[in-house]
Amino acid sequence: MKTLLLIDLQNDFCPGGALAVDEGNLLIPIANELMPKFELVLATQDWHPATHGSFAANHPWRRPGQMIDLNGLSQVLWPIHCVQESFGAEFVKDLNTAGIHKVFVKGTDPEIDSYSGFFDNGHRKATGLGDYLKAQGVTELWVMGIATDYCVKFTVLDALELGFTVNLIEDACRGVNLQAGDVAQALSDMQSKGANLIQSSETS
Ligand code: VGL
Ligand code: ZN
């Protein structure tokens, strides 16, 4: 079953949002155009409690961009973003959410972050996405969204590890680039682990 996976197309990751990614908004019309070409359309949604340990504001004297140890894992500190039920956590208004068959939320445990749509960053708990895909008989995924160097990358790497064939739609992804070159590095990491880098015009 031809399956499209939309990663975190949420207000906070678009210009004007709390963790704004350049040109994140440009992905919305691309997603809307791609959806009808797929039999199954799934989405992930970053969905944090206000107390989340990845928020710099929840650690005295810490600032976004700094690194901490969060329960044994190295953690980048972020601005407060994608708080459950907030506007920032909503999908972008123009996204055709009626075309999405199922949404998987992640980052709900305040003690651990979850970049991947499949598992938290410690691979301690699954979101249910992997089991759902297997139950549907899905073997191949087309992935797009935000952010190339975080949630897209870790979702793709987990998908590959779980045995899915992964097509990463490069022009339909945008990244944070906390450090110059992070997006290019993420693309090359995904490709070297087996992801096919394609363009949205090649999804047929
Ligand atoms: C993301 C940083 C923090 C993402 C989510 O969607 O890539 N990045 N939370
Ligand atoms: Zn987050």
Side-chain angles (χ1 to χ4, degrees):
M1 181 149 41
K2 212 175 160 190
T3 302
L4 178 65
L5 183 54
L6 307 172
I7 307 297
D8 298 1
L9 298 178
Q10 295 166 263
N11 289 320
D12 270 341
F13 297 126
C14 288
L19 211 173
V21 171
D22 274 354
E23 301 185 342
N25 55 312
L26 301 187
L27 306 185
I28 306 305
I30 302 178
N32 290 341
E33 268 172 45
L34 289 179
M35 279 188 219
K37 300 178 174 184
F38 289 84
E39 294 169 85
L40 182 62
V41 180
L42 304 174
T44 63
Q45 190 172 27
D46 211 34
W47 194 247
H48 298 307
T51 55
H52 201 266
S54 73
F55 298 166
N58 290 333
H59 302 274
W61 311 112
R62 296 293 183 167
R63 292 185 187 283
Q66 293 180 333
M67 303 291 303
I68 61 160
D69 176 297
L70 184 63
N71 302 306
L73 294 177
S74 176
Q75 173 70 50
V76 183
L77 290 176
W78 301 107
I80 296 170
H81 67 278
C82 297
V83 172
Q84 295 171 3
E85 313 294 346
S86 70
F87 173 77
E90 288 175 13
F91 289 120
V92 176
K93 176 173 58 65
D94 292 337
L95 182 67
N96 175 24
T97 51
I100 299 172
H101 298 103
K102 196 165 165 65
V103 175
F104 292 85
V105 297
K106 60 190 181 60
T108 56
D109 180 345
E111 303 294 329
I112 190 163
D113 211 354
S114 186
Y115 294 143
S116 163
F118 290 94
F119 301 100
D120 61 54
N121 290 0
H123 273 229
R124 293 170 192 164
K125 279 189 197 146
T127 60
L129 173 59
D131 287 343
Y132 178 85
L133 290 170
K134 294 211 162 146
Q136 302 291 318
V138 174
T139 58
E140 184 167 6
L141 292 174
W142 279 257
V143 181
M144 65 161 284
I146 312 171
T148 318
D149 39 355
Y150 289 94
C151 292
V152 171
K153 171 180 153 179
F154 288 99
T155 299
V156 165
L157 295 182
D158 279 344
L160 290 166
E161 222 168 84
L162 289 169
F164 296 99
T165 299
V166 181
N167 304 291
L168 191 270
I169 312 171
E170 190 181 342
D171 59 314
C173 294
R174 289 295 185 282
V176 179
N177 262 340
L178 217 48
Q179 320 252 16
D182 281 355
V183 166
Q185 184 64 51
L187 291 171
S188 101
D189 289 348
M190 290 185 271
Q191 190 169 37
S192 69
K193 293 274 165 63
N196 306 312
L197 301 196
I198 63 161
Q199 303 302 313
S200 52
S201 59
E202 297 171 312
T203 51
S204 75

